[in-house]
Amino acid sequence: MTGFRLPGSGFGALRPAAFGADPGGERMARIRRSPHFKDGVFQNPGGVARTRPSGSAMDFARVYFDKDARVGRAPQGTVPVHATTLADLARPAATGLRVTWMGHSSVLAEIDGRRVLFDPVWGERCSPFPFIGPKRLHPAPLPLAALGPVDVVVISHDHYDHLDLPTIKSLAGTDTVFAVPLGVGAHLEHWGVSATRLRELDWHEATRVGGLTLTATPARHFCGRGLRNTQHTLWASWAVAGEEHRIFHSGDTGYFEGFKDIGAGHGPFDATMIQVGAYSDFWPDIHMTPEEGLRAHLDLQGGEPGGVLLPIHWGTFNLAPHAWAEPGEWMKDVAEEAGQAVALPQPGEPFEPAGKLPTDRWWRSVAHPVLPTWRRPQPAEISVGERKDDLDFVGEC
């Protein structure tokens, strides 16, 4: 999104390259024609979504900077990372579908002979600056170059923990295609990606890459990279269908009824990658708790357990007041209670949804105890969109 601009051409260099570029020309004209763009901004499904901490700044600071709670928001030892190699990933998936969580929302999906890389972030910080902002809690499982060729890179939205300048610049030198939500292509072109390699989609639009169909589907979130947020780039979840398999990546989103429609139109899915971290009562509409993530997965599957749920958007960056290991702990509990298969790999650990799933609580070796333990909320306690989003401390992270 847009950043600050000072008067006079001599000050243009003060705008960090990581801020990207504003949509303009025909791209901006297309944005204005979108049925989801109204009153100068993109609109969320389900009405206005709150994107900033609610309540007083004092209340927020009291929770976020509480000395005892801060200890639990980071691991107390070295996070185990699976030693995946290029040779491991070069072997074809025996079942036709293999998924490798690289940490946070970065996932390599090998589906029906094609390779899809979602929200790749290999940088050290999710920030426009190298010296400030949330820093990785574990290294990338393997160098970006060691992934081998990728058919398509899929971006969910333009926040720093999903769209990373150093990573995109590295990928710009390859021949991969980029599938991105409407408006996000302005950033990528600014960083050296050719317009001929961009597939820029509005919600419900689809593109073909090789034998895959990629569809941008709705999400409940927001956008922004600069010092002001004009909501001129779209955010999306993604459905990807091959000849034999279907997968879903949620991007960042709060729970909303639209998951049922996505499932009816594009599911059921062999695997879903569902955001379940960086939630909080202070920003209640745009990220999901584990319980809400499970509910979203079940909606995508037609209301019944099915496929495999991979929880993402946790474990790599400290972006919210909850304990570091809480999303993993709670997701395992809620999924088991519902009878839903869940994969809980170490970062970098490949698995095939049709094969043996990684389900150990690997984080316990380096996590502080998670308190309180999960319990099912009573009906009177649940309201749609009651906890969610990342802190956006630095430039809408």
Side-chain angles (χ1 to χ4, degrees):
M1 290 300 292
T2 186
F4 62 93
R5 295 184 188 275
L6 296 176
S9 59
F11 293 99
L14 295 178
R15 176 184 171 113
F19 278 7
D22 302 330
E26 175 53 33
R27 178 176 279 116
M28 192 64 218
R30 187 179 168 206
I31 288 170
R32 292 192 179 101
R33 292 194 299 267
S34 169
H36 312 109
F37 191 78
K38 182 181 178 183
D39 299 329
V41 296
F42 279 110
Q43 305 292 316
N44 264 305
V48 176
R50 289 166 285 182
T51 62
R52 291 291 184 274
S54 60
S56 72
M58 185 65 70
D59 289 340
F60 175 74
R62 186 179 298 113
V63 170
Y64 193 78
F65 295 105
D66 177 81
K67 182 174 66 175
D68 294 332
R70 287 180 69 185
V71 172
R73 292 205 298 270
Q76 58 180 341
T78 301
V79 176
V81 174
H82 190 80
T84 301
T85 66
L86 176 59
D88 295 329
L89 298 177
R91 288 192 293 269
T95 62
L97 177 62
R98 181 167 58 205
V99 178
T100 308
W101 178 51
M102 299 296 175
H104 202 57
S105 295
S106 302
V107 181
L108 175 67
E110 299 165 272
I111 172 172
D112 298 339
R114 300 292 179 179
R115 309 178 89 233
V116 183
L117 184 59
F118 293 94
D119 284 357
V121 174
W122 259 251
E124 281 300 305
R125 295 184 186 271
C126 47
S127 166
F129 307 107
F131 53 86
I132 193 171
K135 190 176 182 179
R136 300 185 70 95
L137 299 174
H138 65 80
L142 71 169
L144 187 62
L147 289 182
V150 173
D151 294 286
V152 57
V153 173
V154 177
I155 304 297
S156 64
H157 64 297
D158 71 358
H159 284 167
Y160 290 102
D161 56 328
H162 297 260
L163 180 61
D164 179 52
L165 170 61
T167 305
I168 297 301
K169 279 187 169 290
S170 295
L171 293 167
T174 69
D175 59 0
T176 188
V177 171
F178 290 81
V180 303
L182 191 56
V184 174
H187 298 312
L188 273 63
E189 283 192 63
H190 185 63
W191 298 333
V193 177
S194 169
T196 60
R197 291 162 52 206
L198 290 174
R199 310 289 176 85
E200 199 163 346
L201 307 182
D202 201 347
W203 290 341
H204 309 299
E205 292 182 341
T207 188
R208 293 277 294 176
V209 177
L212 303 179
T213 299
L214 300 97
T215 305
T217 46
R220 187 164 166 79
H221 200 58
F222 68 116
C223 64
R225 292 183 74 82
L227 298 182
R228 62 187 178 91
N229 187 354
T230 53
Q231 300 292 77
H232 284 173
T233 70
L234 189 59
W235 46 95
S237 56
W238 289 86
V240 179
E243 294 181 1
E244 301 292 336
H245 296 92
R246 294 170 180 263
I247 58 177
F248 175 83
H249 189 283
S250 71
D252 278 1
T253 180
Y255 178 80
F256 67 112
E257 293 293 326
F259 288 116
K260 297 174 183 177
D261 296 330
I262 295 171
H266 304 283
F269 298 97
D270 298 283
T272 68
M273 296 150 270
I274 303 290
Q275 171 270 309
V276 297
Y279 46 81
S280 172
D281 291 334
F282 285 102
W283 41 83
D285 296 327
I286 43 187
H287 274 184
M288 292 188 289
T289 65
E291 190 273 337
E292 290 167 327
L294 172 67
R295 195 188 322 170
H297 173 88
L298 296 177
D299 286 351
L300 292 163
Q301 303 296 76
E304 298 293 333
V308 173
L309 190 167
L310 170 66
I312 60 172
H313 203 268
W314 74 283
T316 303
F317 298 105
N318 178 2
L319 300 174
H322 63 66
W324 171 70
E326 186 177 286
E329 282 284 341
W330 286 10
M331 176 52 76
K332 184 170 176 65
D333 291 341
V334 298
E336 287 182 349
E337 181 178 282
Q340 171 58 52
V342 62
L344 296 163
Q346 294 179 10
E349 181 179 3
F351 70 92
E352 300 195 26
K356 179 176 173 58
L357 300 180
T359 58
D360 291 341
R361 300 182 196 249
W362 54 265
W363 53 85
R364 284 190 170 179
S365 64
V366 294
H368 295 270
V370 173
L371 297 172
T373 56
W374 182 84
R375 69 177 181 86
R376 176 167 293 283
Q378 299 304 305
E381 298 176 319
I382 299 174
S383 63
V384 173
E386 191 173 270
R387 307 164 52 142
K388 306 145 191 143
D389 195 25
D390 50 19
L391 280 184
D392 308 323
F393 268 160
V394 181
E396 316 291 4
C397 185

